[in-house]
Amino acid sequence: MPLPNYTLGVMDASVYAPEVFARGLPSDQRPEQSFEYAAKPAGSIADAASPLLALQGISLSFGGVVALADIDLSVLSGEIRAIIGPNGAGKSSLINVISGVYRPDRGHVHLDGTSYAQVPTQRLAHLGVARTFQNLALFKGLSVLDNVASGLAYKVRSNFAGQVLGIGRSRGEQRDSRSRAEQILEFLHLTAIRDRLVGTLPYGLQKRVELARALVAEPRLLLLDEPMAGMTASEKSEMAAFVRAARDRFGTTVVLIEHDVGVVMGLSDRIAVLDYGRKIADATPDEVRNDQRVIDAYLGVASDNEDGAGI
Amino acid sequence: MTAITGDFASVPVLPKWLAPVLLLAFAYGVVPLIGSSYLFEAILLPFLALSLAGVGLNILTGYAGQVSLGSAAFMAAGAFAAYNFNLRVEGLPLIGSIFLAGIVAAAIGVVFGLPSLRLKGFYLAVSTLAAQFFVQWALTKFSWFSNNSASGVIDAPRLSISGFALDGAIGRYLFALTIVTVLTFLAYRLVSSQTGRNFIAIRDNETAARIIGIPVLKTKLLAFAISSFIIGVAGVIWAFAYLRTVEPDGFDLDRSFQILFIIIIGGLASIRGAFFGAALIVVFPLALSRLGGFLLGDLFDSGVLDMSQRIVLGALIILFLILEPDGLVALWDRVRRRLLFAWQST
Ligand SMILES: Nc1ncnc2c1ncn2[C@@H]1O[C@H](COP(=O)(O)OP(=O)(O)OP(=O)(O)O)[C@@H](O)[C@H]1O
Ligand SMILES: [Mg+2]
């Protein structure tokens, strides 16, 4: 069965990255645990010696259902790491383990040199990790701008009294988070809808707002759970370009779950394939494409699955 | 619990402060001149106290998404605390007693808000009942709270500010109006601050809020504290300015439900909504008894009134939940937009 065309011509990040990213953000607005901002050439895998994220023997089951079975996975700094697999393979569970939403039954998550039995969700943003959700997890009662600015809530140090009275550091914080949110909105072409309530937006745009909320914190590690599900082909390639641009400009490491094999092949440096909670392959796109087990388990059905089945 | 406020993009915009400022000018400048004592005693004073309680509960339930059935308990805590501070602390000005009473109510609110760290929705609502029953029980059981008065009913101190007596109907009205105005303004500032947005984030998606680093537990307890502070002060207004007695009986579960209905009818997650809801709750029984007396004459006694009140109110709440979940405020905004639009296109 022929696979879809892998190379998407429109995925030229520069088209989508306006000046704001070239300039970078003023140094006083960078997160405290500031990391290497220097742009990396696309596709390069930095410093293979020390992975930013490593999973070691992760197992997780729900009742009798084995969601993850003894998974090892390493993610290098600056790479786009895809995780693919059929519905129910355990992809979302894996992201939930990495972000501390689930506690694995066995195994450890090594994040930037520290080992966790359960990643502390509450500290995730401080650790430089941001994520999006397979099912939208936006704050419906807030505007687009406020949703995105909320991605900086972890940095807020002013207390409610200062905010109510408009004294102390609250004013500066408010100004900073708005201007940073506005920069991200511009980057993701969302400026025109900044004051809309997110609940009133079409699905594809909501997905993009969620990406904006994650990106505004300039995370070192970005976990994306099917960011392009339910999108049209052109929306998908636009989104793919944004993901790549974020990596190229910020050096953000990306873990990407995506069903659209075309997008995945074009975008990722390495691909891990899950099936029934097991990792059945872990290699470069070219190798994965030709792996017989992967073709049997997943790619064989890929063309049925292109249109975002398994959302 | 998601209240979506309308999309105002297409509305011809008047400055946002205009309506409240005009309203306040009217409330301070005109109402005291033309109001009858019936208007103050039977309508405006309970309206102000309940509106403020509604504002407080709306912060907790409408904005932060934590359901509470303990509002009356926090009102009672405020009223009794203010009474005791006033009685027992020599030289403390009234305003000081009221502030400290708010703090006491806030502390009790935090204690009874602790279950919210584990419980949600219906289960949380049931656990806040504990506050309702415990506070009422404690106030009845320990007569120290009511200065060992035999009946448990005590006269509230006379209102005065720096020696200036405010115990006439108009004075009490202005006193209540001022406190309500100040706290409402601060509440408005709060809900549009970072903290207010954190409340909404926790209400709309707690997991996402935690992931992006909002301190969920701390923020929930803060919502309980601030909400209970405001409701506690509302209790002081209720007892000191409206009833002029302090007694546990008026702060029962019915009152808690009443305040919950106020924010449901008025509009969840809307500061204005509390005022709309309170106006309806206060005016409605009076209007109903007039109407009933007019239609049925002597048949319409207090028993029938009470029953018909409950029936009509219950029906109203169901209607609102189904037809207008965003409350009177949303209704009002739609009507106003239509009118403005019609006016513009002429
Ligand atoms: N919270 C949960 N409770 C019970 N079972 C769960 C839970 N989360 C996941 N599972 C089960 O674990 C297995 C893996 O689910 P997971 O959501 O990780 O799959 P996935 O690869 O993301 O699938 P999809 O492509 O459909 O999103 C499934 O059988 C699912 O039913
Ligand atoms: Mg999934």
Side-chain angles (χ1 to χ4, degrees):
Chain A
M1 192 163 295
L3 290 167
N5 189 5
Y6 300 139
T7 40
L8 297 167
V10 282
M11 286 202 304
D12 178 2
S14 61
V15 176
Y16 297 94
E19 284 306 290
V20 41
F21 267 62
R23 273 190 272 114
L25 293 165
S27 57
D28 62 323
Q29 291 180 3
R30 287 180 187 169
E32 291 140 48
Q33 68 280 22
S34 140
F35 48 90
E36 196 46 61
Y37 275 79
K40 295 188 173 65
S44 82
I45 295 172
D47 196 5
S50 63
L52 178 62
L53 169 74
L55 306 187
Q56 196 182 42
I58 297 287
S59 297
L60 173 68
S61 47
F62 297 100
V65 180
V66 178
L68 296 169
D70 199 20
I71 300 282
D72 295 326
L73 187 81
S74 76
V75 180
L76 304 180
S77 188
E79 78 175 328
I80 297 180
R81 188 77 154 96
I83 300 172
I84 63 173
N87 295 135
K91 306 180 295 296
S92 295
S93 300
L94 198 64
I95 292 238
N96 283 333
V97 166
I98 298 171
S99 55
V101 176
Y102 292 166
R103 181 195 171 91
D105 302 333
R106 272 190 305 285
H108 284 88
V109 179
H110 300 271
L111 195 57
D112 199 21
T114 315
S115 168
Y116 301 95
Q118 179 175 18
V119 178
T121 311
Q122 193 81 71
R123 302 220 349 99
L124 204 64
H126 291 276
L127 295 172
V129 182
R131 68 166 288 181
T132 65
F133 294 79
Q134 179 168 359
N135 302 307
L136 289 167
L138 288 167
F139 309 127
K140 288 199 198 69
L142 291 177
S143 69
V144 169
L145 182 67
D146 286 342
N147 264 279
V148 175
S150 71
L152 294 166
Y154 74 102
K155 293 177 69 179
V156 170
R157 308 252 304 279
S158 60
N159 62 19
F160 80 95
Q163 293 164 15
V164 167
L165 302 174
I167 53 173
R169 60 174 110 224
S170 71
R171 282 163 165 258
E173 276 179 357
Q174 167 92 356
R175 223 179 14 248
D176 284 356
S177 69
R178 276 184 81 94
S179 79
R180 285 180 60 171
E182 274 163 7
Q183 287 172 358
I184 295 290
L185 288 180
E186 201 180 321
F187 169 58
L188 294 181
H189 298 186
L190 292 167
T191 307
I193 53 161
R194 43 172 268 174
D195 294 322
R196 293 269 299 273
L197 284 175
V198 282
T200 66
L201 297 175
Y203 187 79
L205 279 181
Q206 294 197 35
K207 281 272 184 196
R208 213 193 284 179
V209 174
E210 219 187 318
L211 177 65
R213 183 179 69 188
L215 268 184
V216 76
E218 290 168 32
R220 274 187 297 182
L221 178 61
L222 180 60
L223 311 170
L224 303 175
D225 195 347
E226 304 202 16
M228 298 147 204
M231 287 189 169
T232 64
S234 71
E235 283 177 326
K236 276 183 190 175
S237 52
E238 217 181 347
M239 195 72 162
F242 288 138
V243 171
R244 175 176 295 203
R247 189 273 302 267
D248 291 350
R249 306 287 169 168
F250 285 147
T252 304
T253 307
V254 180
V255 174
L256 169 73
I257 297 179
E258 179 50 49
H259 276 291
D260 188 315
V261 177
V263 170
V264 168
M265 296 286 173
L267 195 57
S268 41
D269 299 310
R270 287 194 295 160
I271 301 177
V273 187
L274 299 189
D275 190 25
Y276 293 110
R278 299 186 177 280
K279 190 168 84 173
I280 58 170
D282 191 350
T284 63
D286 277 335
E287 290 161 348
V288 164
R289 189 182 305 154
N290 298 317
D291 188 309
Q292 193 55 45
R293 287 179 65 189
V294 177
I295 293 170
D296 292 346
Y298 186 56
L299 294 185
V301 299
S303 50
D304 301 333
N305 217 346
E306 263 168 59
D307 296 322
I311 295 162
Chain B
M1 287 297 149
T2 330
I4 308 284
T5 27
D7 193 355
F8 296 102
S10 59
V11 191
V13 272
L14 299 165
K16 255 176 137 177
W17 48 263
L18 190 64
V21 166
L22 288 179
L23 211 61
L24 277 177
F26 184 75
Y28 274 104
V30 181
V31 173
L33 299 180
I34 60 167
S36 63
S37 84
Y38 176 80
L39 180 72
F40 294 118
E41 301 278 3
I43 298 181
L44 291 178
L45 283 167
F47 163 73
L48 285 169
L50 290 176
S51 297
L52 187 61
V55 168
L57 183 62
N58 229 338
I59 287 178
L60 181 67
T61 302
Y63 287 92
Q66 310 299 305
V67 189
S68 160
L69 289 177
S71 309
F74 304 132
M75 284 178 87
F80 275 87
Y83 171 77
N84 281 291
F85 279 123
N86 193 69
L87 179 75
R88 295 168 205 279
V89 183
E90 202 67 35
L92 184 66
L94 183 61
I95 248 358
S97 304
I98 296 177
F99 180 79
L100 290 177
I103 299 289
V104 168
I108 296 175
V110 168
V111 170
F112 285 97
L114 286 172
S116 74
L117 307 184
R118 300 300 294 272
L119 302 176
K120 283 191 176 52
F122 175 71
Y123 296 97
L124 176 62
V126 171
S127 85
T128 58
L129 278 179
Q132 184 57 52
F133 295 131
F134 176 80
V135 169
Q136 248 195 322
W137 170 80
L139 291 176
T140 326
K141 167 92 183 168
F142 302 106
S143 53
W144 182 86
F145 288 119
S146 33
N147 199 25
N148 303 314
S149 131
S151 63
V153 181
I154 42 187
D155 287 336
R158 300 175 55 208
L159 297 186
S160 70
I161 286 180
S162 44
F164 190 74
L166 289 169
D167 49 1
I170 296 180
R172 282 180 284 125
Y173 161 74
L174 290 174
F175 174 84
L177 180 64
T178 304
I179 293 181
V180 171
T181 303
V182 170
L183 283 185
T184 302
F185 176 70
L186 295 178
Y188 173 78
R189 295 270 310 174
L190 175 79
V191 298
S192 39
S193 74
Q194 179 65 47
T195 300
R197 291 193 291 272
N198 288 356
F199 288 168
I200 295 175
I202 289 173
R203 173 195 77 190
D204 285 352
N205 198 314
E206 196 175 319
T207 307
R210 180 173 289 120
I211 295 255
I212 63 176
I214 292 174
V216 172
L217 305 186
K218 209 180 101 190
T219 305
K220 278 186 182 175
L221 293 182
L222 184 65
F224 268 96
I226 294 174
S227 159
S228 307
F229 179 95
I230 296 175
I231 296 176
V233 173
V236 183
I237 294 178
W238 181 266
F240 284 28
Y242 169 47
L243 292 182
R244 284 192 283 173
T245 60
V246 187
E247 52 182 321
D249 281 355
F251 300 116
D252 56 3
L253 187 57
D254 272 7
R255 180 85 50 225
S256 288
F257 271 113
Q258 192 180 41
I259 295 163
L260 187 63
F261 294 160
I262 283 175
I263 67 169
I264 292 175
I265 292 177
L268 287 167
S270 159
I271 298 285
R272 283 178 304 156
F275 290 84
F276 280 77
L280 189 118
I281 289 275
V282 170
V283 171
F284 160 76
L286 301 174
L288 192 71
S289 88
R290 287 271 165 99
L291 184 74
F294 178 72
L295 293 178
L296 301 173
D298 290 343
L299 275 177
F300 201 79
D301 58 21
S302 66
V304 180
L305 172 65
D306 193 53
M307 197 176 64
S308 51
Q309 243 183 60
R310 283 166 189 265
I311 293 173
V312 179
L313 197 62
L316 262 183
I317 286 160
I318 293 172
L319 272 179
F320 264 103
L321 286 175
I322 295 173
L323 298 178
E324 191 57 271
D326 296 336
L328 281 171
V329 180
L331 206 66
W332 165 259
D333 282 340
R334 253 209 318 276
V335 170
R336 201 185 50 151
R337 214 170 316 168
R338 290 255 168 80
L339 290 179
L340 278 173
F341 192 73
W343 177 70
Q344 271 220 327
S345 45
T346 53

